[in-house]
Amino acid sequence: MQRWRGLEDIPQDWGRSVVTIGSYDGVHRGHQLIIGRAVATARELGVPSVVVTFDPHPSEVVRPGSHPPILAPYDRRAELMAGLGVDALLILPFTAEFSQLSPADFIVKVLVDKLHALAVIEGPNFRFGHRAAGTVDFLRELGSTYDYRVEVVDLVERGEAGGGVPFSSTLARRLVAEGDMDGAAEVLGRPHRVEGVVVRGAQRGRELGYPTANVETRPHTAIPADGVYAGWLTADGERMPAAISVGTNVQFDATERTVEAYAIDRVGLDLYGKHVAVDFLAYVRGMAKFESLDGLLEAIADDVKRARVLTDTYDLKR
């Protein structure tokens, strides 16, 4: 999949294409319907498919300080989109100047002049341009002038998560924040992932016999509620079952909120400075302060045991 950052990165000889536009944070199952339709339409028409998204999130520019928690960083979104068959990803830097583009100017500058859109695939609530004034109807109206068609994917994906409401990034963020990893996975179509670089922490886990990878997450990352989770730690392409702790480590009166993952039954891992991924499968228990070190060690041993069973069971079902 080709990746472009800014309109100037698009090849000058780029021909017609099928385009879909959106933030697509998380590339959840609702997003997958739209992106999948764009890919299928592009193949039917014999042209490439392009996903257009924005960095930073438009809300951060329009309303500074309102950046929502991020379900997936851009490189992860690109990986997921490539898996759906997308041919090119265009990330547009969303600046104050860009936010002033009228819907008509956006269509001309992006869809017509650069991507030569043959078809545009969107959901029914798609909005674009200055003050989000552009609608799907307006997009369709200008399609007759600029020789592209518009298809609206009105299929609504829903399940038990969130009480049966339609899947959305907002719902996924809420479920993650609540520690409902089952619900989040239903919306996302996979376990929620947090990424970052392993840094040195207080090394208390190592002293207790359970060395953890202290993951320094990226700004605005959607981090699950405080607690202990079962999941996986992926480093250097290897996925390892893990017991994961999120919180401030109340046992030692720490104040910094951290994400720490213990790779079960692994000895001698040196992950400092490496980029890793932590996938959250299931909530095990809440944070607790124990009366003694023995009580803490007993709880950790139980956490590891439960995490091992949960990850093994999950892998057997797949």
Side-chain angles (χ1 to χ4, degrees):
M1 184 180 73
Q2 297 187 54
R3 301 190 196 186
W4 308 320
R5 187 168 183 86
L7 296 173
E8 63 280 359
D9 277 359
I10 301 172
Q12 292 188 358
D13 61 351
W14 187 255
R16 305 301 298 269
S17 59
V18 173
V19 184
T20 183
I21 308 162
S23 293
Y24 289 128
D25 182 21
V27 193
H28 59 67
R29 286 170 59 186
H31 293 155
Q32 291 168 28
L33 290 175
I34 299 173
I35 295 172
R37 182 65 61 84
V39 169
T41 301
R43 288 176 178 169
E44 290 170 6
L45 297 174
V47 298
S49 56
V50 182
V51 173
V52 179
T53 190
F54 311 96
D55 181 30
H57 193 284
S59 66
E60 182 64 16
V61 175
V62 178
R63 297 179 299 279
S66 66
H67 199 303
I70 296 172
L71 294 166
Y74 289 98
D75 50 356
R76 174 63 169 160
R77 294 182 215 180
E79 177 186 342
L80 294 167
M81 290 175 185
L84 294 172
V86 172
D87 295 301
L89 170 63
L90 169 61
I91 301 176
L92 292 175
F94 198 89
T95 62
E97 180 182 1
F98 188 86
S99 73
Q100 298 297 312
L101 276 182
S102 69
D105 284 344
F106 180 93
I107 288 173
V108 172
K109 290 179 180 295
V110 179
L111 294 178
V112 179
D113 289 349
K114 289 295 186 177
L115 295 176
H116 310 294
L118 184 58
V120 182
I121 315 297
E122 296 296 341
N125 300 320
F126 174 64
R127 305 298 292 264
F128 65 100
H130 184 52
R131 296 186 181 277
T135 63
V136 168
D137 288 338
F138 182 74
L139 185 65
R140 183 179 282 117
E141 180 183 333
L142 266 65
S144 58
T145 301
Y146 293 112
D147 188 29
Y148 65 79
R149 77 182 202 221
V150 175
E151 181 178 350
V152 176
V153 179
D154 56 5
L155 298 174
V156 176
E157 191 80 358
R158 68 175 76 226
E160 296 181 5
V165 302
F167 292 162
S168 67
S169 296
T170 299
L171 173 60
R173 293 186 189 109
R174 175 170 70 81
L175 295 170
V176 168
E178 293 172 353
D180 183 354
M181 307 323 298
D182 287 337
E186 184 182 17
V187 177
L188 295 171
R190 63 188 181 278
H192 175 59
R193 171 174 290 190
V194 167
E195 299 184 32
V197 175
V198 177
V199 298
R200 293 189 182 276
Q203 296 189 312
R204 294 191 181 94
R206 185 176 300 278
E207 295 169 1
L208 297 173
Y210 296 94
T212 60
N214 187 351
V215 183
E216 185 175 65
T217 58
R218 303 179 182 187
H220 307 297
T221 294
I223 298 175
D226 288 3
V228 176
Y229 297 82
W232 296 272
L233 171 66
T234 299
D236 295 328
E238 181 182 5
R239 190 182 75 156
M240 300 165 278
I244 308 156
S245 172
V246 177
T248 58
N249 199 334
V250 294
Q251 187 70 30
F252 297 98
D253 298 321
T255 57
E256 181 182 0
R257 193 164 187 254
T258 61
V259 176
E260 300 181 57
Y262 166 66
I264 298 172
D265 299 331
R266 294 302 299 269
V267 178
L269 282 177
D270 183 5
L271 301 178
Y272 290 121
K274 293 186 177 182
H275 182 273
V276 301
V278 178
D279 292 304
F280 290 81
L281 172 61
Y283 180 86
V284 173
R285 66 169 173 86
M287 280 295 183
K289 188 170 184 176
F290 298 90
E291 295 183 357
S292 67
L293 184 58
D294 286 343
L296 172 61
L297 289 171
E298 184 178 338
I300 293 175
D302 186 60
D303 296 337
V304 170
K305 180 179 178 181
R306 294 176 64 185
R308 183 187 289 111
V309 170
L310 286 165
T311 53
D312 284 351
T313 302
Y314 180 86
D315 284 337
L316 286 172
K317 290 179 179 178
R318 293 181 68 79

